[in-house]
Amino acid sequence: MTKPRLALLIGIICISIFPVLVKLNFTPGLISAFYRMAIAAALLLPYVLLTRRLQMPPTPILLLAVLSGIFFASDVAVWNIAIQKSTATQASLLTNLAPVWVGVGSYLFLENKPARNFWIGTVIALMGMVVLVGLEFFLELRFDLAFMLGVLSGIFYAVYILLSKHVLERMSVLSFMTINLLSSSVFLGVVSYLLNEPFSGFSKVGWLVLLVQGILCQLVAWLLLSYATQHMRATRVSLSLLSQALLASFLAWLFLDEQITLRMIAGGMILLSGIGVTFYAGDISLRKILGRYRQV
């Protein structure tokens, strides 16, 4: 196994642990998101300063990096609350709709429009979402808070992806991560203070969980994933990251006793398959499929 692939595998495992830790409810979801960013920033900032690897980009790029941090912070905060109000499985699968929203955003705002495969995959992914939560859920318009937050998390993450892709073409990964984490920490700190969230008073286990989230699930995971992205195809990394939703579901079943029904498994597989189709570069038209069938 090459180093980039190993980094990708370890990074996916680190991210998959996060929903299980949040679901333990040792700390409120918003504060959990704040400490995840603040702990990672507190460790990374001294390193980039001492090694002089922090490079400040031009002001427009700097502002975009700060804005991407705010969207990433919003994604994590909303995802945390969705996990605590529903299940780690549902929240993880819904936030993995992010590639769909990235394609929609690209179609609306960028010159590079998504190909036909993207729209086919989007339809399949949305069908999987319907199966996952149940058709009656949509027919009766029972869009509860947990469902809406799960979808909103994916939208926030999609905006982050679009912004970070533009910014990372103009600055280094370490500089971007440092600015991203600092802006995320400040934003979540201010929001938590305004909402009177507790910054202390947690149990020893609660503090330990926060440390694991900040060090393992944020700093280590995203450094490894950034390294993998630099040395592998972006589509391959994106597709591989979809497996973290399945791994998180398995860990939630193993450690949290979360019930996973056949409907949830079927819906999750359809959803992830649809997202996989959006990354597929080949022609999947019905005419080509029938042509191959006739040749056989």
Side-chain angles (χ1 to χ4, degrees):
M1 182 178 290
T2 62
K3 288 183 180 180
R5 290 179 181 177
L6 183 60
L8 179 61
L9 175 61
I10 298 174
I12 289 173
I13 294 173
C14 291
I15 292 180
S16 302
I17 297 171
F18 180 68
V20 177
L21 296 177
V22 173
K23 189 61 179 178
L24 292 174
N25 288 326
F26 283 109
T27 58
L30 189 57
I31 282 294
S32 173
F34 164 72
Y35 277 109
R36 170 177 167 174
M37 302 301 171
I39 291 172
L43 293 173
L44 183 60
L45 183 60
Y47 171 77
V48 295
L49 290 177
L50 291 173
T51 58
R52 299 181 180 180
R53 301 185 69 175
L54 179 61
Q55 301 172 347
M56 299 304 292
T59 301
I61 301 301
L62 175 62
L63 293 176
L64 286 178
V66 170
L67 186 61
S68 69
I70 293 174
F71 274 103
F72 186 66
S74 302
D75 159 47
V76 175
V78 170
W79 187 27
N80 284 7
I81 299 171
I83 292 171
Q84 293 182 341
K85 290 187 175 296
S86 58
T87 64
T89 299
Q90 176 177 302
S92 296
L93 287 170
L94 290 178
T95 198
N96 266 277
L97 283 170
V100 171
W101 310 132
V102 168
V104 173
S106 299
Y107 176 79
L108 294 175
F109 303 109
L110 302 180
E111 294 181 1
N112 188 15
K113 306 299 182 184
R116 177 176 56 185
N117 288 1
F118 167 79
W119 300 112
I120 295 174
T122 296
V123 172
I124 296 173
L126 294 177
M127 289 172 57
M129 183 176 68
V130 172
V131 174
L132 172 67
V133 299
L135 181 60
E136 68 282 358
F137 189 86
F138 290 88
L139 293 177
E140 299 173 9
L141 299 178
R142 290 192 280 116
F143 301 111
D144 59 11
L145 180 61
F147 173 82
M148 298 300 294
L149 290 176
V151 175
L152 183 61
S153 171
I155 295 174
F156 280 146
Y157 187 55
V159 177
Y160 164 76
I161 291 174
L162 291 171
L163 286 174
S164 63
K165 179 177 176 59
H166 178 74
V167 173
L168 281 170
E169 293 174 353
R170 295 160 177 82
M171 62 186 302
S172 67
V173 171
L174 279 179
S175 297
F176 171 75
M177 282 192 64
T178 303
I179 295 171
N180 184 76
L181 287 171
L182 288 174
S183 61
S184 297
S185 302
V186 172
F187 173 74
L188 288 172
V190 171
V191 172
S192 298
Y193 176 78
L194 293 176
L195 295 178
N196 294 318
E197 293 284 332
F199 285 87
S200 60
F202 312 126
S203 64
K204 292 182 179 178
V205 178
W207 283 112
L208 177 61
V209 168
L210 291 175
L211 284 172
V212 172
Q213 290 179 18
I215 297 173
L216 195 65
C217 302
Q218 180 60 39
L219 186 59
V220 174
W222 285 101
L223 284 174
L224 289 171
L225 293 174
S226 297
Y227 172 78
T229 302
Q230 284 183 323
H231 295 84
M232 297 174 63
R233 294 179 183 177
T235 52
R236 183 169 295 176
V237 174
S238 300
L239 280 173
S240 300
L241 282 172
L242 298 180
S243 63
Q244 66 90 12
L246 299 179
L247 183 55
S249 301
F250 173 74
L251 293 175
W253 169 77
L254 188 63
F255 295 109
L256 301 177
D257 262 345
E258 281 194 2
Q259 183 181 6
I260 301 179
T261 63
L262 288 176
R263 187 190 71 186
M264 293 174 65
I265 294 173
M269 294 301 293
I270 294 171
L271 187 152
L272 296 180
S273 298
I275 295 174
V277 170
T278 65
F279 288 104
Y280 183 65
D283 184 8
I284 57 173
S285 65
L286 184 60
R287 180 183 300 175
K288 187 169 183 178
I289 294 173
L290 291 176
R292 288 181 177 177
Y293 175 76
R294 288 170 183 170
Q295 290 176 2
V296 174

